[in-house]
Amino acid sequence: MTDAADVYIEGVAIELSWADRTRSLTELIFTTVSKAVDDAGRGYEGIDSVVLAAHDLVDGRSLSSMVTAPAAGAYLRDEVRYSDDGAGAFAAAVARIEADEAERSIVAAWGRASEHDVEEFSRALFDRIFLAPLGLEELHVSALNAQKWRIDGGDASHVETAQARRATAAKANPRALHAGGKRSTPAYPLASDHLPLWADVVAAVVISKRPSGVRIKGLGLSSEPSWLGDRGVAKAPALKRAAQRALSEAQIGVDEIELFEIDGMTLYDEAIALEAIGLAATGEGMRSLAHDPRCNPSGGSMAGYGVPAMGLARIVEATLQLRGAAGPVQQGRPRTAMASGQSVTAAQTQTVVVLEAA
Amino acid sequence: MELVTIEGKWDFNYTYFAGESASRFFHELRENQRIMGTRCTKCEKLLVPARAYCDVCMSVTDEWVEVGPEGTLETFTIITTAFPGLPKPPIVMAYVTLDGADTALINLVHGMDLSDIEKAAQKLNALPRVRVEFIDEPKGRITDFSFKLI
Amino acid sequence: MSVAIIGVGQTGYRRSFADKSSRELIWEAARLALEDAGMGIDAIDMVISGVAPDALAGEASVERTAMLGFGKPFLRINTGGVTGSSAVFAGNTFIRARRARAVLVVGLERMGQATSSQQVFNTIFDPVYEKDFPLTTITMAALRASMLMRLYGYTAMHWAQIASRSYRNALRNPLAHIHRDVSPEDVLNSPLLAWPIHRYEACPMSEGACAMVLVDEGMVGDRIPAWIQGAASITDSYAMGDRIHRPGATLVDLLSLKLAAQRAYAEAGVDRPREQLRAVELYSAFSSAEAMAYPALGLCASEDGPRFVEAQFTDPTLPVINPSGGPQGANPVSVTAMVRIAEAALQVREMAGERQVADVERAVATGQGGATQFSTVCVLGKRQAA
Ligand SMILES: [Zn+2]
């Protein structure tokens, strides 16, 4: 859809931790943003835009960016904060450069699960009149999706293999959370291991027009209706459309993509997501997750999960893979990668990014 | 037909990590009754209250320096209306630059005659010198101290 | 690529809408904006929305119901007081990037659901160093107002005159929440909240929704456009105490607004703002905030501020400030900054009814949020920027 100038990822950084008492939230942000800027290599020169993803309720600051944005380099810059997933903020930052409103931008996203009560937060996301009185949490929606997937004939014979593969990957990933963290109580049919490992996550990237290692090839965004019952259960229609848009902009088929970092809260969400993006046939997502080395080599939600940073975390992991710098979880030398992030309530909005080694 | 309203409470629990810098700042309040700042390694400003980095320069701070205990009032307000959950009015709140600091610090000003608000305001408008006063049993919170006109 | 506002929809503002759910308010504003634009929802490529802070509505992501139409890209903004203008700017960005041709921006304020708004406002401050203080939006403004009085000779009467002018302008705006003829004396006689601020100087708490349709130049067709000639946004440091000794830009110099205005004016080709901007819609939650905006927007020098206030009542060549009544007339926090742009658009499009200012070739709208920290400036014009 766009014929604007190309946009590149110059620098990335990610840090997962748990209840690190030596650092405040703003200090965590400062550290990771500084690392991304260092990784890009030319300091703050030319950085004229800062795009953030952070949630007031997660941060426990009713207007988070007032306190946190300066830690991400916002001082006297054009800064905007999305109360959305990091991949959504990333898309907005790319659009700014394409619109010629900025030359070089920081994108940062964070969520510190050790500071707040994740279940309490999750319950607050639902409509006050119809859903909140039921005590619904996002992981309950994941459970409903998982069961629907099974009822519809999803091939569950690969659940254990897929889970084991996630665990192995998360263990091998040097950027994953290796100590601490927390899991919620699973709801049927989910098991404890299938759940996200709550973590303190900060991700940051620096993008610009100047050619460097990784180029943004396609972006797609989409949403689902606000009523849960109006959505396609276990079909992730927003992700499907977002992926279609990103692929068509990149002029590439999903089969040609060599690496996937797809956001899902649980094992089943990840499997369903692989079907939605068109990589796996309906009901076959778990098999891909179990056996396809291109899928979530980072370990997915097992590696640590902090809302709303995960979309940007996936972009960082995908970028490292394209650069051949992913360490022990490196999957050969992929030329193209797809990353996604979800937001609002129970994956109501989705952003998909297609990246290419430049 | 009756329009439905549903009662709710927006109440969330948090544990905020103050981090090493703020912890040391609070520790100094409690143990040594002194106000500390940190110096930016780039612009060399002494930032108060102490912090790990300077957001203007995006640089870390290193040196710890005591400031005050005296300083100059920069601006103020006198709160005359009660707000739920906050101390009882009238309250004087002010930004004060403690001697040696490059930034101003906010806290309450105690010990003023507030029977005539306008009169008190005129007195503060002269930007008087103030001194830091600690409470008897400091707890390592920002409320351990307040300012008092010299 | 030039972007135009061709649709504006506002529910009107009041203390609370007991008869409407959040989704109905959003729907109403969106419907009115689409109707004004002569478009259906299917022609919209993207929706951008925002509510901030969530706590005021007592519900997270309350604007999720703005995902109107099916499967459209949707993003939510949260930049505090400037959420509404940030949403408009984001729409502008996606169109200029050619990622969308038509964007619906929707804002909602549901603070009528909050039982204690100032308590919420206290939770916006730094929980480590500042949470134990009676820091509220009111006391933050008071700290600055007292400094302006000392530095430039503003008096309590100036604050009262500014507030009274806004109340009286709001009498001509049927959408306003407060319709009350308040004289400067009435302001001075109202209770003191935090010296030097009186109750009638403070903004009301309002609910309501506002929506706008933004399109690229090829889609304007026969609609009446308000062209976005310049849009800029700048963030300042959070720490107010750090700004007191900043050379050339202390606590009462709105450096972020000044820098944003410089950029937006440069884009729009505005070099004599006092003559070129006929209508000014300011996000000034208090009279002192308005006074700080004058020099930042190039309307007068800092030290001439008090005279500029007085001259507004006698000199018809000066720009008209807050013809809508501004935030004094209605302050639906999440949308207040969007309403400023909406009202400026109505002025440029000559659709402002009784509050229409004559000969508005260009109008400017500002946004101000955070700890007087986030500033936005939007210049709208009858014509595309040269
Ligand atoms: Zn510095």
Side-chain angles (χ1 to χ4, degrees), chain B residues 91 116 123 138 146 150:
Chain B
I91 305 161
D116 183 337
K123 198 167 177 185
S146 57
I150 296 173

Side-chain angles (χ1 to χ4, degrees), chain B residues 40 43 54 57:
Chain B
C40 171
C43 68
C54 168
C57 304

Side-chain angles (χ1 to χ4, degrees), chain A:
Chain A
M1 186 160 185
T2 174
D3 52 4
D6 285 340
V7 180
Y8 298 83
I9 298 177
E10 285 187 7
V12 296
I14 185 166
E15 190 192 9
L16 277 75
S17 58
W18 181 254
D20 176 1
R21 299 177 77 96
T22 68
R23 288 182 293 164
S24 65
L25 174 64
T26 47
E27 289 160 6
L28 288 180
I29 297 164
F30 171 77
T31 308
T32 304
V33 168
S34 299
K35 278 184 194 155
V37 171
D38 285 349
D39 185 44
R42 38 184 181 125
Y44 282 83
E45 175 203 328
I47 289 181
D48 51 3
S49 162
V50 176
V51 182
L52 307 174
H55 203 295
D56 292 343
L57 257 180
V58 168
D59 291 350
R61 287 136 174 104
S62 298
L63 173 42
S64 169
S65 50
M66 175 171 133
V67 182
T68 53
Y75 182 70
L76 297 188
R77 291 196 171 89
D78 184 340
E79 173 266 333
V80 63
R81 195 242 318 194
Y82 286 80
S83 195
D84 210 301
D85 173 67
F90 179 86
V94 171
R96 270 189 167 184
I97 292 176
E98 290 170 340
D100 261 328
E101 293 173 354
E103 288 284 330
R104 196 167 180 237
S105 184
I106 289 172
V107 190
W110 56 82
R112 194 169 197 185
S114 70
E115 268 197 349
H116 68 282
D117 178 333
V118 281
E119 287 89 9
E120 204 173 59
F121 164 71
S122 184
R123 285 192 291 272
L125 293 174
F126 291 91
D127 160 85
R128 299 286 90 190
I129 313 295
F130 295 99
L131 297 175
L134 308 177
L136 203 63
E137 296 172 12
E138 287 197 293
L139 284 172
H140 299 157
V141 179
S142 290
L144 291 164
N145 279 323
Q147 190 55 23
K148 173 74 174 151
W149 180 82
R150 292 166 68 107
I151 290 167
D152 285 351
D155 184 354
S157 65
H158 301 280
V159 165
E160 275 175 34
T161 321
Q163 180 49 36
R165 191 177 154 253
R166 272 173 21 118
T168 308
K171 205 169 170 196
N173 184 352
R175 295 167 297 281
L177 185 69
H178 295 290
K182 186 171 102 170
R183 281 205 172 76
S184 298
T185 308
Y188 183 87
L190 300 174
S192 181
D193 275 0
H194 302 162
L195 303 186
L197 177 64
W198 303 122
D200 301 346
V201 183
V202 186
V205 308
V206 176
I207 59 173
S208 87
K209 273 183 198 162
R210 190 150 121 173
S212 64
V214 172
R215 187 169 73 90
I216 292 128
K217 224 171 148 25
L219 285 179
L221 290 89
S222 189
S223 61
E224 296 184 21
S226 58
W227 293 98
L228 276 179
D230 294 4
R231 305 191 199 168
V233 180
K235 293 274 181 283
L239 179 57
K240 186 175 176 178
R241 276 186 303 275
Q244 283 166 352
R245 284 179 184 143
L247 288 167
S248 101
E249 187 176 302
Q251 295 179 306
I252 191 173
V254 71
D255 299 330
E256 298 168 67
I257 305 255
E258 291 166 343
L259 191 113
F260 298 88
E261 279 291 345
I262 304 298
D263 182 24
M265 288 193 60
T266 68
L267 170 75
Y268 282 88
D269 290 318
E270 288 178 4
I272 292 167
L274 295 179
E275 297 173 16
I277 62 170
L279 181 70
T282 306
E284 296 297 321
M286 199 65 80
R287 178 203 294 273
S288 298
L289 202 56
H291 300 292
D292 189 336
R294 294 176 297 170
C295 299
N296 290 3
S298 67
S301 72
M302 277 290 283
Y305 207 91
V307 174
M310 294 326 290
L312 199 62
R314 298 281 173 261
I315 290 170
V316 171
E317 286 291 339
T319 301
L320 292 172
Q321 290 280 352
L322 292 175
R323 284 195 199 164
V329 293
Q330 181 70 39
Q331 294 299 315
R333 200 62 203 266
R335 301 278 312 153
T336 52
M338 177 188 276
S340 80
Q342 58 182 38
S343 188
V344 193
T345 308
Q348 199 173 353
T349 63
Q350 294 274 3
T351 303
V352 173
V353 181
V354 174
L355 304 171
E356 178 184 59

Side-chain angles (χ1 to χ4, degrees), chain C residues 166 202-204 206 281-285 322 324-331 336 340:
Chain C
S166 292
C203 300
S206 320
E281 281 287 342
L282 286 181
Y283 191 152
S284 46
N322 285 349
S324 68
Q328 232 87 36
N331 188 33
T336 301
R340 303 281 68 74

